[in-house]
Amino acid sequence: MTHQQTEHANNGMAPEASITAAAMDGALTAHDGAVTAAVGAAAPERPPAPDRPISLRTENMSLYYGDFRALRDITVGIPERTVTAIIGASGCGKSSFLRSFNRMNDLIPNARIEGIVEMSGVPIYDRRVDVAELRRAVGMVFQRPNPLPLSIYENIAYGPRRRGVRNRADLDGIVQRCLTQAALWDEVKDKLKQPGNELSGGQQQRLCIARTLAVEPDVILMDEPCSALDPASTLRIEELMQELGHEYTILVVTHNMQQAARVSEMTAFLNMAEDRAGALVEFGPTSEIFTNPQEKTTEDYITGRFS
Amino acid sequence: MATRLLSGNRAERGGEMAIHAVLLGASVISIATTVGIVFVLLSESLRFFDLVSVWDFLTGTVWTPLFRPAHFGVLPLVAGTVLVAGIAIIVAAPVGLFTAIFLSEYAPDRFRRIVKPMLEILAGVPTVVYGYFALTFVTPLLQRWLLPDMIIFNALSAGLVMGVMIIPIVSSLTEDAMLAVPRSLREAAYALGATKFEVATRVVTPAALSGIVAAVILGLSRAIGETMLVTIAAGATPRLTLNPTESVQTMTAYIVQVSFGETPQGTPVYYTIFSVGLLLFVMTLAMNILGQWVVRRWRQAY
């Protein structure tokens, strides 16, 4: 994988090559795990979000469902270890865009991607890519909490078990670490054997986040993770997103402008063109998108002139 | 306004009443038939049990109602039934399950659209055809390649062919149960890096387990009640054996034999068809109740 990344970086055009190479370094340090992460959290002097290495990159990406073009020519570079919000009206392709990064769209018959989609410089739609491995590197949290019909413990252990972790002590450690990271450990530590779907909605969603952390992803995709939750649970998840944003590249689709403003450092605004295909209108630091948008449509959307 | 409001309740007008009566009548027919069948089975069986004790009937190991001395031990018939149905479910459960997994998780839409109707055709083939298929094709095939000493009427080929016959029941009910597993569960597992096989075996199958068990039980119940196939292919030898290469007689096949014979009404032999029928009814009823209980009890909350 490293070899392939290097090759790709060298083959790219000059400015991109430097970005991709940097992204590769970033990916490598992320793999070192908790130690690096802890150091990263302790050292506050991070470069501003737009200057961070690129984790996910698309170039002229289009997505088709059969003959229908759902996304048109999207070119964007998502910085690593940053919370990036994706905003836009309903049906403009935000979820489709998100699902392009873990190839969840593969599950839909007739779905087809054109253009470049890369993670840490690796073209993820390359035939050599192991999709299961990609989905471990790019975790996902869904709109409705969807714990597996298993115990709390087994929900977390599911991913590691698929990867071949069998040792009970190792699994115990992973379960405790991930539940702690997802701010759920104290609430469930005495009932790990209970079914995951008996928790409250907010707890279930944190369980789903913990489950995603257990496969040690670099990127976490979140598809309106709070839309089915009450305000208190929403607040907890938002705090969690901000914390995790120091260690993980988080891409979050949201309909809630305040949420985008609160949790994200970068914001991408998608809009539907006349032919109903979603296109990227504007991408930049959240503060600028919200206070000084460059495009009229962005301003209209943010100020609520249309939804 | 008042005239319009007070123009009469529509539900009490003639048309509505008539429709109500027709619908009620239709449902009463099936209820009345069921009650009638149970009543006849019970009352005629009671006469049989005046002649032969329930204990002797249920525990006796010799069934010779047509010979002297007549013995009325039903176990040989039960053994024949269980043997054939057991072979059938050993064939139908795995094949039906794999078919269902394939159809619900793997098959592209186009393939599914071809296979589903074919399975339905399989379910629509008259059972007499399966009977002759077992007798004139499967048995000679087994004799030629595997079991040269096997006799022509045997439990094995009847069971194997019956297994094929109930595959559509098992697979279609199982597939329904699998399709009812919410998409969000599959997505959850895929998003954690599970492969298609892991999703099918470790997420969808456990989540659909109650439906799968119910499908197998209903298939088994159908196998126990199946008549024509076993009458033609399994033989007419009530024998207490679990050897599949032997000729046996199932409960249903016995009832056919006596019903078509020249058995005078009122003799013990005549009443046996009701007692055997009642036992058969109790067995399949128990299966169906068990199936429903399993569906309720094991239904996984998701």
Side-chain angles (χ1 to χ4, degrees):
Chain A
M1 190 160 155
T2 313
H3 179 63
Q4 201 185 329
Q5 284 171 351
T6 320
E7 227 174 55
H8 195 93
N10 290 343
N11 289 345
M13 290 180 296
E16 276 161 18
S18 62
I19 292 168
T20 336
M24 184 187 73
D25 289 340
L28 289 179
T29 39
H31 275 299
D32 292 343
V35 180
T36 327
V39 171
E45 70 281 3
R46 298 203 297 165
D51 299 340
R52 290 172 202 158
I54 299 298
S55 169
L56 300 170
R57 192 178 81 86
T58 69
E59 194 177 317
N60 291 326
M61 179 186 81
S62 292
L63 172 68
Y64 297 84
Y65 295 122
D67 295 331
F68 173 64
R69 193 177 199 174
L71 294 173
R72 170 196 296 280
D73 297 333
I74 294 186
T75 299
V76 71
I78 311 282
E80 64 162 35
R81 300 198 210 185
T82 305
V83 178
T84 299
I86 303 167
I87 60 172
S90 292
C92 74
K94 300 184 298 293
S95 289
S96 296
F97 177 62
L98 198 70
R99 284 160 176 258
S100 302
F101 291 113
N102 65 346
R103 292 185 57 173
M104 220 53 179
N105 290 327
D106 288 14
L107 301 178
I108 299 165
N110 303 324
R112 180 164 58 84
I113 284 268
E114 278 176 8
I116 297 172
V117 187
E118 287 178 349
M119 181 203 174
S120 307
V122 179
I124 61 171
Y125 283 86
D126 191 289
R127 287 181 55 186
R128 288 165 298 177
V129 167
D130 176 352
V131 181
E133 205 55 57
L134 171 73
R135 292 189 184 134
R136 286 181 196 123
V138 185
M140 184 159 192
V141 177
F142 296 84
Q143 191 168 354
R144 298 199 146 270
N146 56 351
L148 296 165
L150 302 168
S151 68
I152 294 171
Y153 185 99
E154 288 301 326
N155 260 282
I156 311 288
Y158 185 88
R161 279 190 201 277
R162 301 281 80 70
R163 232 180 37 215
V165 182
R166 290 279 176 275
N167 184 300
R168 190 74 192 184
D170 291 348
L171 286 172
D172 288 350
I174 292 171
V175 169
Q176 178 166 2
R177 174 177 65 78
C178 295
L179 285 173
T180 308
Q181 239 180 322
L184 189 59
W185 174 251
D186 290 334
E187 292 161 58
V188 302
K189 64 182 175 208
D190 299 323
K191 48 179 181 180
L192 294 175
K193 295 265 178 288
Q194 282 183 21
N197 45 26
E198 282 177 13
L199 296 172
S200 76
Q203 288 174 324
Q204 286 188 22
Q205 196 61 303
R206 276 179 280 149
L207 179 66
C208 291
I209 292 172
R211 170 180 83 185
T212 304
L213 297 175
V215 291
E216 295 173 17
D218 295 330
V219 178
I220 302 175
L221 309 174
M222 296 186 171
D223 192 353
E224 298 184 49
C226 302
S227 64
L229 304 182
D230 63 79
S233 303
T234 299
L235 194 65
R236 299 213 59 169
I237 304 278
E238 285 182 5
E239 286 168 4
L240 190 54
M241 276 193 252
Q242 283 177 299
E243 272 168 44
L244 294 174
H246 291 278
E247 298 171 45
Y248 301 90
T249 306
I250 294 182
L251 214 52
V252 53
V253 166
T254 179
H255 271 131
N256 182 331
M257 292 302 107
Q258 286 80 14
Q259 182 171 74
R262 277 194 299 264
V263 302
S264 73
E265 289 184 85
M266 299 292 284
T267 294
F269 172 56
L270 294 187
N271 195 21
M272 202 158 60
E274 290 81 49
D275 62 352
R276 302 182 50 79
L280 182 70
V281 177
E282 200 166 345
F283 177 62
T286 301
S287 51
E288 284 183 29
I289 296 277
F290 275 81
T291 56
N292 186 23
Q294 302 300 304
E295 301 286 333
K296 179 82 167 62
T297 37
T298 314
E299 190 180 343
D300 287 351
Y301 181 71
I302 286 166
T303 52
R305 236 160 278 166
F306 74 94
S307 61
Chain B
M1 188 71 196
T3 19
R4 223 169 84 209
L5 283 176
L6 296 171
S7 58
N9 188 339
R10 282 178 70 86
E12 284 171 9
R13 285 187 209 154
E16 287 287 324
M17 301 279 277
I19 288 169
H20 186 257
V22 167
L23 297 178
L24 179 69
S27 54
V28 163
I29 288 176
S30 61
I31 295 168
T33 310
T34 311
V35 171
I37 288 174
V38 173
F39 175 77
V40 170
L41 275 179
L42 277 175
S43 61
E44 300 290 295
S45 295
L46 283 178
R47 298 210 193 174
F48 173 78
F49 290 124
D50 282 343
L51 306 168
V52 178
S53 83
V54 178
W55 180 254
D56 288 347
F57 175 70
L58 289 178
T59 60
T61 57
V62 181
W63 182 259
T64 55
L66 301 170
F67 309 127
R68 267 166 216 286
H71 290 284
F72 297 97
V74 80
L75 284 182
L77 295 183
V78 174
T81 303
V82 169
L83 180 61
V84 177
I87 295 169
I89 210 67
I90 288 172
V91 173
V95 176
L97 177 62
F98 295 154
T99 306
I101 289 180
F102 181 73
L103 285 179
S104 88
E105 305 301 311
Y106 284 84
D109 259 8
R110 206 147 32 105
F111 188 84
R112 200 198 323 247
R113 276 201 292 273
I114 298 169
V115 171
K116 285 281 272 185
M118 286 181 73
L119 276 172
E120 276 151 26
I121 291 172
L122 202 59
V125 174
T127 56
V128 64
V129 176
Y130 282 108
Y132 278 98
F133 178 68
L135 184 67
T136 62
F137 182 76
V138 176
T139 297
L141 201 70
L142 289 171
Q143 283 172 326
R144 179 143 176 224
W145 298 106
L146 279 175
L147 302 156
D149 300 330
M150 188 170 68
I151 57 171
I152 185 95
F153 296 103
N154 61 80
L156 184 60
S157 40
L160 292 176
V161 174
M162 190 192 279
V164 173
M165 191 184 85
I166 59 177
I167 285 172
I169 297 175
V170 176
S171 73
S172 114
L173 290 173
T174 301
E175 196 203 345
D176 289 347
M178 289 182 158
L179 289 177
V181 174
R183 200 184 140 81
S184 66
L185 280 191
R186 291 185 177 83
E187 288 190 335
Y190 278 123
L192 290 169
T195 62
K196 207 165 225 191
F197 181 73
E198 286 165 347
V199 171
T201 54
R202 292 181 179 270
V203 176
V204 178
T205 303
L209 192 62
S210 73
I212 295 170
V213 172
V216 170
I217 290 173
L218 284 179
L220 194 57
S221 158
R222 173 77 201 278
I224 289 171
E226 168 50 31
T227 306
M228 193 50 86
L229 199 169
V230 287
T231 307
I232 293 170
T237 322
R239 198 195 314 257
L240 188 59
T241 177
L242 288 179
N243 178 354
T245 63
E246 286 195 66
S247 169
V248 297
Q249 185 170 44
T250 66
M251 297 159 76
T252 49
Y254 169 77
I255 294 174
V256 170
Q257 184 191 16
V258 175
S259 306
F260 288 169
E262 294 161 355
T263 313
Q265 214 169 340
T267 60
V269 178
Y270 172 78
Y271 289 119
T272 55
I273 62 177
F274 294 98
S275 60
V276 172
L278 179 66
L279 181 59
L280 194 64
F281 173 75
V282 169
M283 282 168 73
T284 50
L285 182 70
M287 285 290 175
N288 289 342
I289 290 173
L290 181 69
Q292 295 197 358
W293 181 80
V294 164
V295 169
R296 272 205 316 273
R297 185 71 182 68
W298 287 9
R299 171 159 291 155
Q300 226 169 13
Y302 36 66

